[in-house]
Amino acid sequence: MHAKRKQMSNRTFTMIKPDAFANGYSGAILDMILKAGFRLTALKMTSLSAGKAGEFYAIHRARPFYNELVEFMSRGPIVAAILEKENAVADFRKLIGATDPAKADSGTIRKLFAASLGENAIHGSDSDENARTESDFFFSNLERI
Ligand code: GTP
Ligand code: MG
């Protein structure tokens, strides 16, 4: 029981991507996140330079869609947040749905707010380690509770 609890994450990082921000969905998406039981421990509106977007998604550097992804992610404002909830990483990935909105379950954020595989409204960390790295990428200690 203790070992299992220790392994369970309680924080994840998210970003409302430029498509969803531009479409005016930020409020509705944050509302869904809060209603699903996540608490905000950091929140900001900002925008990424191409350099910063490339750094954030550096893991995909070799993929054919990398340039498109960097261009998209640096196209306009985003909302970045750190979220807290038991089992945060896995539960949040469930809430946002599959990468391709066409394959996302109904009721998920991507199903409701995303238009395509490339422009899919929201990011969610895929591991505890990446949640920490990504949170540190965006937020100083002064900016979190
Ligand atoms: P993130 O939460 O944003 O990390 O998405 P993910 O974990 O569901 O998917 P993944 O990390 O594999 O891909 C990162 C992002 O790259 C996706 O969310 C899409 O925005 C984009 N992406 C993935 N596959 C494709 C693709 O085939 N074409 C294009 N244009 N973009 C893609
Ligand atoms: Mg990912």
Side-chain angles (χ1 to χ4, degrees), residues 57-128:
Y57 278 114
I59 194 167
H60 296 307
R61 200 184 289 120
R63 309 287 287 278
F65 58 82
Y66 181 69
N67 288 342
E68 205 177 311
L69 176 61
V70 167
E71 196 186 318
F72 162 58
M73 289 304 301
S74 57
R75 195 171 73 194
I78 57 107
V79 175
I82 303 175
L83 305 172
E84 187 177 66
K85 181 185 184 295
E86 202 167 297
N87 205 27
V89 167
D91 284 3
F92 193 70
R93 296 284 297 195
K94 249 180 255 159
L95 179 67
I96 69 177
T99 308
D100 183 352
K103 295 180 185 148
D105 288 342
S106 63
T108 59
I109 291 175
R110 281 171 169 161
K111 188 62 157 194
L112 289 165
F113 298 107
S116 67
L117 171 60
E119 303 197 3
N120 59 2
I122 191 158
H123 163 80
S125 305
D126 60 10
S127 67
D128 290 0

